Amino acid sequence: MKRLMCFLLFSIPILSLLIFVNYNADPGNLFGAAPEKMVGLFMEGKSAYVKSGNVEEREVDKKLIEAMPDSPECIAVGPSLVRWVNSDMVGSEKFYNLGMSSGNGYDVLAIFGQLERNGKMPDKVLFCVDTLFFDTAIMENNKSWLPYEEDVQVALDMIGSSTELDDSQIEILAAKTSKYGQLFSLTYFQSSMQYISENGISGDAKIGEPDAEYQGAYYLKDNARVSAYHIENISEADVEEEMEQYITGSSSSKLENAITPNAHLDLEQVENFKKLITYLQENNVEIKFFLHPFPPLIWDYIIENGSYPMVEELDVFIHEYSAEKGIPITGSYNPYEVGCGNEDFQDYRHMKAERLYKYFDFEF
């Protein structure tokens, strides 16, 4: 008993400190009202920055859909590849970017489920079509969509899909409450302490409006991303080094984590994609496909390596399907068809925003 008391007297203060620091610093903006504050600024026609650089984009998209005063003229959906497309590029003031980092097939379906639930279906959809929509291994390994499972189901029912979501209520509950595990995380504590060292335990607001001198990353009023100045202006040598690390797996971001090696397009997801497009067209929603190119260095590796057949399969499928459905395409997975080089990219996969203006036509 004495040992137990000593253990408790020692551990409880430490545990309390860990929880206090992680909750109050919260570098990932897991526990505060960051999404609501961002959307509040958007509704006022203002841009927003996230001081820590991290926010749950899926929750921002959900709150944004709920806050829209009426149905938007145009939206963009897809993974992070589409996140830099803004209203100026699309040519619409009633545009919202509803893309998200690592957005897979179920993430996209969740967006349409939320639009349907809120009666906010748009007139036009810029659809960034990527292998992530059809890669079920990634969809099972990264279940960031699971807290929005009800929205996915709404979309599946809406399009008449036979896909059954077999995740248990325990899995769904665990996904919705997983963030609370970060309160006890030493890794999160390290990030929290770094945030505190830079900003203080209370500091200024974690969400704010950038001024003219601000050079960090931020979000425009339409939720499109703007990269930090040093990222947008990365040198060709530095970005090519990032690309080499990406394909060799020597960095935290790896090609094999974005495209499952030796996997093929999932036929069930192909059918869901077709049903979604058919549903949108039958409801007079205009669609344009955006195919974001790979950097030449990475495209060459994919073609020569031969371990990523899904890329070429999708290329064939989307061109045949777009012709069948009369849907225009801007872009290509093949950078040589676009005419872009490694220097046009801000990292191993995403193009610099200014180059999107140069190479693509996003207007309808």
Side-chain angles (χ1 to χ4, degrees), residues 138-287:
I138 286 180
M139 292 163 67
E140 286 300 313
N141 291 331
N142 179 9
K143 291 193 173 184
S144 297
W145 58 269
L146 198 52
Y148 308 94
E149 183 264 352
E150 291 180 2
D151 299 313
V152 178
Q153 190 61 62
V154 168
L156 290 172
D157 294 340
M158 177 184 79
I159 65 177
S161 171
S162 59
T163 296
E164 294 184 4
L165 301 175
D166 56 2
D167 301 282
S168 69
Q169 290 301 312
I170 293 177
E171 282 183 293
I172 295 171
L173 179 62
K176 290 182 176 180
T177 59
S178 62
K179 67 180 183 180
Y180 294 104
Q182 296 297 328
L183 292 173
F184 307 94
S185 168
L186 290 174
T187 301
Y188 203 64
F189 180 77
Q190 291 176 323
S191 298
S192 295
M193 291 304 296
Q194 181 178 348
Y195 178 83
I196 290 171
S197 70
E198 296 172 355
N199 303 286
I201 189 64
S202 55
D204 298 327
K206 294 182 178 180
I207 304 297
E209 182 184 2
D211 57 28
E213 303 302 318
Y214 186 78
Q215 293 194 345
Y218 63 97
Y219 297 81
L220 297 172
K221 64 180 181 179
D222 55 21
N223 197 32
R225 291 195 65 175
V226 176
S227 295
Y229 179 84
H230 72 281
I231 297 296
E232 184 72 16
N233 291 278
I234 189 172
S235 70
E236 182 177 358
D238 286 343
V239 79
E240 288 184 349
E241 182 179 353
E242 277 195 29
M243 293 172 188
E244 291 285 0
Q245 293 174 349
Y246 183 63
I247 60 178
T248 58
S250 57
S251 66
S252 57
S253 297
K254 304 175 183 178
L255 176 59
E256 63 187 36
N257 292 338
I259 309 171
T260 303
N262 303 309
H264 300 273
L265 294 178
D266 181 79
L267 296 182
E268 186 173 29
Q269 276 302 101
V270 169
E271 286 306 306
N272 284 338
F273 179 82
K274 289 180 177 180
K275 288 178 182 293
L276 174 59
I277 298 302
T278 298
Y279 175 86
L280 293 173
Q281 288 192 320
E282 288 178 349
N283 285 273
N284 301 313
V285 177
E286 194 175 351
I287 305 165

Side-chain angles (χ1 to χ4, degrees), residues 84-91 220 222 224-226 232 290 330 338 344 351-363:
W84 285 262
V85 176
N86 59 48
S87 58
D88 184 52
M89 297 178 190
V90 175
L220 297 172
D222 55 21
R225 291 195 65 175
V226 176
E232 184 72 16
F290 170 38
T330 186
V338 173
D344 292 312
M351 291 194 79
K352 296 177 177 179
E354 64 178 32
R355 307 303 167 85
L356 296 177
Y357 285 98
K358 177 179 179 180
Y359 293 112
F360 311 108
D361 176 13
F362 296 116
E363 294 191 11

Side-chain angles (χ1 to χ4, degrees), residues 299-342:
W299 175 261
D300 292 344
Y301 175 80
I302 287 173
I303 299 304
E304 293 167 8
N305 182 276
S307 297
Y308 299 93
M310 192 182 300
V311 174
E312 293 184 89
E313 289 173 2
L314 179 55
D315 189 50
V316 172
F317 163 72
I318 201 61
H319 280 91
E320 291 179 350
Y321 186 67
S322 67
E324 174 189 336
K325 302 293 283 187
I327 298 173
I329 291 176
T330 186
S332 171
Y333 303 123
N334 184 341
Y336 300 107
E337 291 182 359
V338 173
C340 59
N342 295 322

Side-chain angles (χ1 to χ4, degrees), residues 38-58:
M38 287 181 65
V39 170
L41 286 170
F42 296 157
M43 292 299 102
E44 295 174 9
K46 300 176 180 178
S47 298
Y49 70 80
V50 183
K51 179 165 285 190
S52 68
N54 297 307
V55 69
E56 178 45 74
E57 293 181 335
R58 289 161 180 79

